[in-house]
Amino acid sequence: MSLVEGIRSIVEDQARAHGFSRVTLLRLEIGRFAGVEKPALAFAFDVVMKGSPAEGARLEIIDLPGQALCYDCMKLVEIADRLAPCPLCDGGRLIPEGGDEMRIRNMEVL
């Protein structure tokens, strides 16, 4: 719920700054390791956005992959979980480089 309240705050700030009154679509990028329960977020979105410029807006969630730098082969690779071995060399020395983010990609507004 608090994540969506933060999104609402951003939407309201942007509406004031740019003079729009309604959001019809909000695209949200969520990384694989962000720890966000997407069904719960989607439910909370509808509830929290009531009375805001984004009331009734469609929420589109874009999944971002987990990424890590493998110190064995020195490649940036996509991984399914944080403890997975490198899919290229099977090395185990990986440092996560992406997949824990959550951000608004863009909004369609009126």
Side-chain angles (χ1 to χ4, degrees):
M1 190 74 84
S2 65
L3 292 174
V4 180
E5 288 169 350
I7 294 168
R8 178 184 172 134
S9 231
I10 292 168
V11 167
E12 290 172 338
D13 290 346
Q14 292 302 305
R16 280 190 296 276
H18 298 285
F20 61 85
S21 61
R22 187 160 175 253
V23 177
T24 58
L25 172 66
L26 188 137
R27 288 187 185 90
L28 190 63
E29 294 179 330
I30 301 177
R32 179 178 201 97
F33 307 136
V36 175
E37 291 292 328
K38 291 176 228 159
L41 183 128
F43 173 77
F45 183 83
D46 290 336
V47 172
V48 171
M49 292 302 165
K50 289 199 186 309
S52 80
E55 181 174 356
R58 187 166 57 93
L59 176 65
E60 183 178 302
I61 296 175
I62 300 164
D63 294 314
L64 299 177
Q67 293 183 322
L69 176 64
C70 175
Y71 279 120
D72 292 322
C73 68
M74 296 308 294
K75 303 284 185 189
L76 186 63
V77 295
E78 194 171 303
I79 54 174
D81 66 61
R82 290 185 183 270
L83 300 176
C86 175
L88 300 178
C89 74
D90 209 31
R93 297 185 309 147
L94 286 91
I95 301 297
E97 292 283 327
D100 59 353
E101 59 271 69
M102 183 178 113
R103 63 181 165 254
I104 296 173
R105 181 176 189 165
N106 59 33
M107 297 182 276
E108 292 181 8
V109 301
L110 298 175

